[in-house]
Each structure stands twice: as structure tokens, then as C-alpha cells.
């Protein structure tokens, strides 16, 4: 009888342990399912017409293209004085000067027409002022006239613009051109140096702006309110630095 009771107790204990294991297994499975549900995120809801457009046909997120306004060259007769003092300053490191200012004089050789004068302003991310000059300011080009063109620039032309100017000068022998630049743009780059040499070879007179050239540009192209230009302290030293660099580039074969 005692043996039978011990056997029953062992059987009850085994059944109880088996029941606890089953309960723990179900609870563990339930927790696992909950974790998986949380990882998968909330159930998807029906997409509206706008959602379908934003997410695309295959459910992948897509950005609709944004149409940007066209870049425009700014043309005028006078430059803001603060812009001139910043953009034309002939510093060695031109940080933040991401525009090109081009002041031009065009003499067509006809006394009745006088001088064509103006300014162009661009940003390096768009069409350049040099290219815009030929399309906007010489749109009425007459091959029977003799043109004398002078530019005063905040920075010398890039490689692409230099090639364009050289092409114009080589193809139109009735155009004579002089460029006075405040700074040399990326003067250490080989393609820039090649462009300056091409300009020189095409007959363009390349010069760095002297202190007197800055004063002339200020008087002629800037809204100066009849105020004189106070040149920065190192203007002459910086001119001599750039003048030497340009001479080395043009003399190098």
C-alpha cells in the first residue's frame, strides 16, 4: 500500500511539472509572437491616392521632382559698394567669394555710339558672366566694325570661359580685348593655366588690377554716392603677388 501511494505521488508530481512546462512554453511562445509583431510594426492601412503617388507603384518611397527656377545673370550699370569691396578685394584666399563680377566697356569705333558700359554678376553654380557677355552684350555683333573690349573682373576666367573667349578672338579678328582681374582663379590648376595661356596666345591682354584700376572701377561702375574708395592696406602687395604669378604662367612654355 505504501509503495502504491509513493507511486501515485510521483505520478502527480510528474503531471504537475509537465503542466507547468506546458504553460511556460505557451507563455514563451506568446511573448515571442508579441515581439515579432512589434518588430513588424503596425498593420498596413489602405493607401490614399496621394500616398500612392508619394510611394510609387511598387510601394517604394519616391520623391517627386521639383522644378527649380532658371538661373538668371544679373545685369546693370552699377555695383553695390559693399559687394564691390568684398568681391573685388584682391586677397590670396578668396573664401566665400562664389560670384564673378564683370564690369565692361565696349568701344565699337563709331563716335556716335560712344562707349557701351555695364556690369554682369553670376554665381559659379550657373552660367558664367563671361559667356553671358557675348550672348547678351554683343548680340548685335557687326563684323564690319572694330571692337575694343575691356573687362574689369573680380576673378580671372575659369578654364571653360577662357577657352570660349579664345575661340571668339581667334574667329573674330575685329575684336580686341583686355582683361583686368582682381584675383587669379585657382591659379595652381593646370587647366586654368592652360586657359590663360590660350587667351594670351589669342591676343587678349591679361593684366592684374593695380590700385589705380580699383579706384577707376569704383568711380565708373559702383554706386559710390560720390564717396572715394579707401583701398585696403595690402592692396598693392597683393597686386604684386598676383602680377608675379601671372607673369610666371604666361612665360612658362
Amino acid at each position: 500500500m505504501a509503495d502504491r501511494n509513493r507511486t501515485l505521488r510521483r505520478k502527480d508530481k510528474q503531471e504537475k511539472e509537465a503542466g507547468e512546462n506546458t504553460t511556460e512554453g505557451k507563455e514563451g511562445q506568446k511573448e515571442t509572437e508579441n515581439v515579432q509583431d512589434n518588430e513588424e510594426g503596425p498593420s498596413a492601412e489602405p493607401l490614399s491616392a496621394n500616398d500612392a503617388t508619394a510611394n510609387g507603384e511598387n510601394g517604394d518611397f519616391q520623391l517627386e521632382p521639383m522644378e527649380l527656377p532658371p538661373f538668371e545673370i544679373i545685369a546693370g550699370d552699377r555695383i553695390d559698394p559693399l559687394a564691390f569691396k568684398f568681391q573685388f578685394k584682391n586677397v590670396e584666399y578668396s573664401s566665400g567669394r562664389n560670384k564673378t563680377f564683370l564690369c565692361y566697356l565696349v568701344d565699337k569705333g563709331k563716335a556716335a555710339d560712344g562707349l557701351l558700359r555695364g556690369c554682369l554678376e553670376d554665381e559659379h553654380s550657373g552660367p558664367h558672366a563671361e559667356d553671358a557677355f557675348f550672348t547678351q552684350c554683343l548680340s548685335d555683333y557687326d563684323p564690319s566694325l572694330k571692337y575694343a573690349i575691356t573687362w574689369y573682373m573680380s576673378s580671372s576666367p575659369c578654364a571653360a570661359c577662357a577657352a570660349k573667349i579664345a575661340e571668339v578672338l581667334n574667329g573674330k579678328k575685329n575684336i580686341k580685348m583686355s582683361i583686368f582681374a582682381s584675383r587669379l582663379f585657382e591659379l595652381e590648376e593646370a587647366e586654368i593655366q592652360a586657359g590663360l595661356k590660350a587667351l594670351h596666345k589669342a591676343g587678349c591682354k591679361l593684366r592684374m588690377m593695380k590700385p589705380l584700376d580699383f579706384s577707376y572701377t569704383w568711380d565708373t561702375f559702383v554706386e559710390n554716392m560720390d564717396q572715394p574708395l579707401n583701398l585696403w592696406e595690402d592692396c598693392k602687395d597683393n597686386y604684386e603677388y598676383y602680377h608675379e604669378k601671372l607673369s610666371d604662367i604666361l612665360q612658362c612654355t
Side-chain angles (χ1 to χ4, degrees):
M1 186 70 177
D3 292 338
R4 185 172 181 270
N5 289 336
R6 284 195 296 270
T7 300
L8 290 174
R9 284 195 297 270
R10 283 198 300 270
K11 185 177 180 180
D12 291 340
K13 184 177 180 181
Q14 291 172 353
E15 288 177 353
K16 185 178 180 180
E17 290 174 353
E20 290 174 352
N21 291 336
T22 302
T23 302
E24 292 174 357
K26 290 180 179 179
E27 291 176 352
Q29 182 179 1
K30 185 176 180 181
E31 291 176 357
T32 302
E33 291 174 352
N34 290 336
V35 171
Q36 292 175 347
D37 290 341
N38 291 334
E39 290 177 348
E40 293 175 356
S43 58
E45 296 180 356
L47 288 174
S48 65
N50 292 335
D51 291 333
T53 302
N55 293 341
E57 296 179 355
N58 298 326
D60 296 330
F61 181 76
Q62 297 178 352
L63 288 174
E64 293 186 2
M66 180 186 300
E67 185 175 352
L68 297 175
F71 185 90
E72 295 182 359
I73 294 288
I74 300 175
D77 295 327
R78 298 278 179 172
I79 299 174
D80 177 82
L82 294 179
F84 174 84
K85 290 179 180 179
F86 178 72
Q87 297 291 345
F88 272 84
K89 193 171 185 179
N90 59 351
V91 292
E92 181 178 353
Y93 300 102
S94 55
S95 176
R97 293 168 173 83
N98 58 350
K99 295 173 179 279
T100 297
F101 283 78
L102 189 159
C103 304
Y104 60 85
L105 294 171
V106 179
D107 184 355
K108 298 181 180 181
K110 296 171 63 176
D113 291 343
L115 285 176
L116 176 64
R117 186 192 71 185
C119 308
L120 297 172
E121 172 189 345
D122 73 14
E123 292 186 356
H124 291 166
S125 59
H128 290 187
E130 297 94 323
D131 190 36
F133 172 83
F134 292 104
T135 58
Q136 295 185 18
C137 304
L138 286 188
S139 56
D140 60 346
Y141 167 77
D142 186 345
S144 66
L145 299 179
K146 292 184 178 181
Y147 291 82
I149 299 173
T150 304
W151 288 357
Y152 296 90
M153 301 184 64
S154 59
S155 178
S156 62
C158 67
C161 288
K164 172 69 175 180
I165 300 167
E167 179 183 356
V168 171
L169 295 179
N170 287 326
K172 296 177 172 60
K173 297 300 183 181
N174 61 326
I175 294 180
K176 302 300 179 183
M177 194 163 193
S178 300
I179 297 179
F180 295 82
S182 169
R183 301 183 306 274
L184 290 178
F185 176 69
E186 296 184 353
L187 61 91
E188 301 297 339
E189 297 295 328
E191 62 178 4
I192 297 295
Q193 296 182 10
L196 295 176
K197 292 176 184 177
L199 280 177
H200 180 66
K201 185 178 180 180
C204 179
K205 295 181 180 179
L206 292 171
R207 303 287 188 272
M208 301 310 303
M209 290 179 66
K210 299 178 181 180
L212 284 178
D213 296 319
F214 288 104
S215 296
Y216 172 79
T217 306
W218 172 267
D219 293 337
T220 309
F221 298 100
V222 178
E223 295 176 352
N224 55 42
M225 305 299 291
D226 294 328
Q227 297 297 315
L229 174 64
N230 294 320
L231 292 170
W232 43 99
E233 183 179 356
D234 52 357
C235 179
K236 186 175 185 297
D237 291 339
N238 292 345
Y239 156 72
E240 293 174 351
Y241 165 80
Y242 278 118
H243 173 72
E244 182 178 353
K245 292 292 185 181
L246 178 60
S247 298
D248 291 342
I249 292 172
L250 298 182
Q251 292 175 5
C252 182
T253 57

